[in-house]
């Protein structure tokens, strides 16, 4: 997947500014694809150059004109082509998991501190996903079925990670207990 496809997905139903797209990345597609404001604006420029999106200027008082982007027929064709193609397996890059894999070179207290930080982030993300899903459930889940299904995946991922974190904590605490009960030689 590329950023271009994520942007085209967001533009498939309505026009949006770069700022709107960045906000949507934070609230929906960001569950599965991260992008900075700068990356979004750069990609919008490329998509415009390739005639996959067009924009219109909206004058604003005291601010630069806003650009509202919309998908073109060429963009829809590209999105359709991409949607029909099998997805590549996701690449995983998780620095914390590498730290866990190398945990024998660290002390349990250091790992637990970082685990706690990661757990806080995951709980916050889970709360956000659950709130968004509840809002869709209450209002228009059928209309936004695919957004809802994406949120459900995010919810399940976070719940699973949190269960795994509990296992890690228990294992590390047991490791610490065993280390402290081993008599030291004189």
């Amino acid at each position: 997947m590329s950023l271009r496809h994520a942007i085209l997905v967001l533009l498939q139903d309505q026009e949006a500014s770069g700022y709107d797209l960045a906000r949507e990345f934070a609230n929906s597609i960001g569950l599965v694809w991260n992008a900075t404001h700068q990356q979004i604006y750069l990609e919008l420029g490329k998509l415009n150059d390739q005639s996959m999106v067009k924009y219109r200027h909206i004058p604003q008082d005291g601010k630069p004109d806003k650009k509202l982007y919309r998908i073109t027929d060429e963009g829809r064709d590209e999105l359709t082509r991409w949607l029909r193609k099998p997805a590549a397996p996701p690449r995983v890059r998780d620095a914390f998991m590498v730290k866990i894999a190398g945990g024998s070179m660290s002390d349990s207290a250091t790992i637990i501190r970082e685990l706690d930080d990661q757990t806080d982030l995951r709980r916050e993300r889970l709360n956000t996903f659950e709130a968004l899903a509840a809002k869709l459930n209450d209002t228009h889940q059928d209309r936004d079925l695919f957004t809802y299904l994406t949120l459900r995946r995010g919810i399940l991922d976070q719940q699973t990670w949190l269960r795994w974190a509990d296992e890690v904590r228990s294992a590390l605490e047991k490791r610490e207990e065993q280390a402290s009960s081993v008599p030291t030689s004189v």
Side-chain angles (χ1 to χ4, degrees):
M1 180 172 151
S2 68
L3 177 56
R4 77 180 24 237
H5 298 112
I7 289 171
L8 292 172
V9 164
L10 290 173
L11 291 174
Q12 70 182 330
D13 293 325
Q14 62 188 4
E15 63 183 0
S17 68
Y19 175 81
D20 296 332
L21 290 170
R23 193 176 64 237
E24 280 301 310
F25 266 85
N27 293 328
S28 64
I29 206 85
L31 301 171
V32 294
W33 195 266
N34 294 317
T36 65
H37 282 72
Q38 183 178 10
Q39 290 170 320
I40 292 167
Y41 283 105
L42 286 170
E43 193 62 39
L44 282 169
K46 292 176 192 175
L47 288 167
N48 184 64
D49 292 345
Q50 296 168 354
S51 300
M52 291 191 200
V53 300
K54 286 186 179 181
Y55 64 87
R56 63 185 174 99
H57 286 279
I58 306 293
Q60 300 187 105
D61 290 332
K63 297 187 221 176
D65 290 351
K66 181 191 287 191
K67 291 181 181 177
L68 284 181
Y69 292 87
R70 72 182 188 300
I71 194 168
T72 63
D73 289 340
E74 291 88 347
R76 285 189 191 286
D77 290 345
E78 168 60 18
L79 184 55
T80 300
R81 181 198 63 73
W82 178 78
L83 287 169
R84 290 181 177 161
K85 213 171 109 177
R91 288 184 285 174
V92 178
R93 294 181 182 170
D94 190 331
F96 182 65
M97 291 304 298
V98 175
K99 288 182 176 189
I100 294 294
S104 64
M105 299 291 293
S106 183
D107 63 285
S108 296
T110 299
I111 297 171
I112 288 174
R113 276 193 303 276
E114 189 163 353
L115 179 71
D116 289 343
D117 292 342
Q118 294 283 327
T119 297
D120 290 344
L121 292 171
R122 297 291 184 141
R123 280 195 183 110
E124 183 179 318
R125 191 178 293 165
L126 175 61
N127 291 337
T128 299
F129 294 170
E130 287 176 335
L132 290 168
K135 189 189 307 184
L136 284 178
N137 221 1
D138 292 343
T139 57
H140 44 273
Q141 177 186 341
D142 292 337
R143 189 183 83 205
D144 291 325
L145 176 63
F146 298 103
T147 300
Y148 179 79
L149 294 173
T150 305
L151 281 166
R152 285 294 304 149
R153 166 66 190 276
I155 289 167
L156 294 172
D157 282 348
Q158 300 314 307
Q159 289 172 337
T160 300
W161 195 97
L162 290 167
R163 281 195 300 275
W164 170 81
D166 289 341
E167 290 180 25
V168 171
R169 174 178 287 287
S170 294
L172 292 176
E173 287 171 350
K174 183 177 178 182
R175 177 184 183 215
E176 283 295 301
E177 286 173 21
Q178 290 172 344
S180 65
S181 67
V182 173
T184 56
S185 52
V186 188

